[in-house]
Amino acid sequence: MFTGIIEAIGTVRRLEPRGGDLRLTVATGKLDLRDVKLGDSIATNGVCLTVVEQGSDYYVADVSGETVRRSTLASFRVGQRVNLEKALTPTTRLGGHLVSGHVDGIGEVISMQPDARSIRYRVKAPDELAKYIAEKGSITTDGISLTVNAIDGAIFDLNIVPHTVGETNIADWAPGVRLNLEVDILARYLERLLLGDRAAQSQAASAGGITLSFLAENGYGHG
């Protein structure tokens, strides 16, 4: 688990395709690796990766085909800056929100404009994720815990203060840039919980998920 508070900006050092999978080497910048050992997790642009090899200023991770397909890792390039965070410990301050490092979908920056000293970004999420994104709720964007300032359908606004820009790779964002999105973990589990016995059915049998009629049938209607 992670907090979404970025500890360092790393740089992609090497990409090695391996029969549908990928081996990734990341130079870690100011990230302190003294307490990192083989098998530990490091969130890389929001993707939880397992360290399989390391040096004093880098780590290596194997990336499965599933992770490549579900994230922006397929478009990584050598020299690209990436957000890094080590897995939290029992003594870590939870400054952001609980983040699993499991990407739910890929969003795209559609606009950016100054807002006083901040920058307001508009991001388009996949339609199927829109129901999990709430105004003033939390969302993880390239590993960064951020607050949703406004939402319109599947498009949400982020107001980024100068400190966050300086401590992350947000300075590299521009219209057209694709971002790893992870919705609030509580929203995903709440939907599954509300399905009750229907959760055991196949996706085809339970198509439609949570609807107004489903809620009414299960006692969640107006009193």
Side-chain angles (χ1 to χ4, degrees), residues 29-223:
K30 68 177 185 180
L31 190 70
D32 185 357
L33 295 179
R34 288 177 296 179
D35 60 348
V36 174
K37 60 184 183 299
L38 296 184
D40 283 354
S41 298
I42 297 178
T44 307
N45 264 16
V47 182
C48 177
L49 297 178
T50 300
V51 175
V52 299
E53 181 184 326
Q54 68 183 104
S56 61
D57 64 348
Y58 74 92
Y59 66 90
V60 179
D62 287 326
V63 185
S64 70
E66 170 73 4
T67 300
V68 171
R69 287 188 293 271
R70 283 186 170 268
S71 71
T72 61
L73 277 161
S75 61
F76 273 16
R77 63 189 185 281
V78 173
Q80 177 176 335
R81 302 199 311 158
V82 290
N83 296 317
L84 304 179
E85 181 190 355
K86 294 182 291 187
L88 62 82
T89 69
T91 59
T92 301
R93 286 188 175 182
L94 190 58
H97 70 285
L98 286 175
V99 175
S100 69
H102 302 156
V103 174
D104 291 304
I106 298 174
E108 181 178 340
V109 177
I110 59 174
S111 69
M112 54 184 289
Q113 63 180 39
D115 187 349
R117 293 187 304 115
S118 301
I119 303 175
R120 183 170 288 263
Y121 290 88
R122 301 202 85 197
V123 179
K124 172 68 169 65
D127 288 348
E128 62 270 20
L129 295 186
K131 60 185 175 182
Y132 303 114
I133 304 172
E135 185 173 349
K136 300 306 178 185
S138 296
I139 191 165
T140 309
T141 309
D142 265 5
I144 312 164
S145 173
L146 296 171
T147 300
V148 176
N149 292 106
I151 188 160
D152 180 12
I155 297 173
F156 61 93
D157 287 16
L158 302 168
N159 201 57
I160 311 297
V161 299
H163 176 79
T164 304
V165 173
E167 294 297 319
T168 68
N169 69 355
I170 288 178
D172 302 333
W173 292 6
V177 168
R178 300 164 76 237
L179 308 170
N180 292 319
L181 301 181
E182 181 185 332
V183 299
D184 191 331
I185 192 170
L186 295 178
R188 287 186 294 176
Y189 281 112
L190 180 60
E191 179 188 43
R192 192 72 174 167
L193 180 63
L194 288 174
L195 282 172
D197 292 341
R198 285 183 60 190
Q201 299 176 12
S202 68
Q203 289 186 352
S206 60
I210 303 297
T211 63
L212 289 176
S213 60
F214 172 83
L215 292 173
E217 290 169 3
N218 288 274
Y220 293 94
H222 295 292

